[in-house]
Amino acid sequence: DAGVIQSPRHEVTEMGQEVTLRCKPISGHNSLFWYRQTMMRGLELLIYFNNNVPIDDSGMPEDRFSAKMPNASFSTLKIQPSEPRDSAVYFCASSMALAGGSQETQYFGPGTRLLVL
Amino acid sequence: GDSVTQMEGPVTLSEEACLTINCTYTATGYPSLFWYVQYPGEGLQLLLKATKADDKGSNKGFEATYRKETTSFHLEKGSVQVSDSAVYFCALSDRNTGKLIFGQGTTLQVKP
């Protein structure tokens, strides 16, 4: 399997622009997680989906952030409008939720390095 | 809420030295415990895991034992290599939701 795929790997944009990050989870996985990594705050969970349904978005910082998962093989994280403080590395991860609710190991993508000028 | 605390870095060692990175956790219930490694410019990779008390996870010469009595999951390696230089994250997983809670990460630098 190719693993979790993220695009773009690098994004440089100007303040106020819309940014869309993309993720393709590992085939067969039914849970998907979006994280943000910064030097100041470390790794933060933004949102996660189970069977394409958002389960917990309490980590989404503001209304400027939104995430969708239209099908089992694709998810987007959108920032509109972007601000310099959004500069970070954004990771997508996927896992398999088992019967009874327990989760298997999360596998991470390579990340998208976002710089907002 | 649940939390993970790791020893602060950076940790600088000479090649073939012994490594210990301390990790303690606070959690309700019985979480699974993980060590992830992040090499420069890359995403996180699972290094090892343990799902219940007294389990020992091991991989690539690294080991960690799930100690319920001390709520710890310390990472150890007997002889480090330059290629082990990376950031190491301890994490716990809520069994029901699968949410991972990470420690702040510990940077390891191994010098030849």
Side-chain angles (χ1 to χ4, degrees):
Chain A
D1 198 311
V4 176
I5 298 173
Q6 291 187 247
S7 66
R9 293 294 305 275
H10 302 271
E11 177 80 32
V12 180
T13 190
E14 292 186 347
M15 183 173 64
Q17 296 298 306
E18 177 180 294
V19 175
T20 300
L21 312 181
R22 298 173 177 79
C23 175
K24 177 179 168 54
I26 292 173
S27 177
H29 282 187
N30 56 11
S31 293
L32 184 140
F33 305 79
W34 282 101
Y35 293 88
R36 178 171 68 176
Q37 185 179 36
T38 61
M39 290 293 292
M40 292 297 294
R41 300 174 68 92
L43 272 162
E44 304 172 277
L45 176 65
L46 300 178
I47 185 171
Y48 82 94
F49 295 83
N50 191 29
N51 293 321
N52 313 337
V53 176
I55 303 300
D56 184 348
D57 64 355
S58 60
M60 296 286 263
E62 304 172 29
D63 291 345
R64 299 184 296 107
F65 286 69
S66 62
K68 295 182 179 180
M69 191 164 187
N71 57 61
S73 60
F74 184 66
S75 177
T76 60
L77 178 67
K78 186 176 293 187
I79 309 172
Q80 167 62 16
S82 58
E83 296 183 3
R85 60 194 167 117
D86 301 330
S87 299
V89 181
Y90 291 82
F91 289 104
C92 176
S94 70
S95 68
M96 171 63 74
L98 303 177
S102 64
Q103 291 275 351
E104 286 290 287
T105 301
Q106 288 186 30
Y107 293 88
F108 283 72
T112 295
R113 282 153 181 78
L114 172 65
L115 177 61
V116 182
L117 301 174
Chain B
D2 295 356
S3 65
V4 175
T5 302
Q6 291 179 235
M7 64 186 287
E8 288 198 21
V11 174
T12 302
L13 296 174
S14 297
E15 208 165 19
E16 299 184 3
C18 294
L19 169 71
T20 299
I21 300 178
N22 291 335
C23 171
T24 57
Y25 67 91
T26 302
T28 54
Y30 304 98
S32 294
L33 300 175
F34 303 81
W35 278 100
Y36 281 84
V37 58
Q38 184 177 29
Y39 298 103
E42 298 185 11
L44 278 73
Q45 302 176 26
L46 177 67
L47 181 59
L48 53 85
K49 70 177 183 180
T51 57
K52 62 183 186 297
D54 300 325
D55 267 2
K56 177 185 284 188
S58 61
N59 186 26
K60 300 181 181 179
F62 291 89
E63 293 183 340
T65 301
Y66 191 141
R67 301 286 188 199
K68 182 183 169 189
E69 63 277 10
T70 55
T71 61
S72 65
F73 193 55
H74 304 322
L75 183 67
E76 298 176 326
K77 187 174 185 181
S79 176
V80 295
Q81 306 300 312
V82 173
S83 57
D84 293 327
S85 298
V87 182
Y88 292 81
F89 291 91
C90 185
L92 66 82
S93 172
D94 182 295
R95 288 187 187 278
N96 293 323
T97 67
K99 289 173 64 172
L100 281 175
I101 296 173
F102 287 92
Q104 70 271 36
T106 301
T107 299
L108 170 65
Q109 184 175 25
V110 181
K111 299 192 172 187

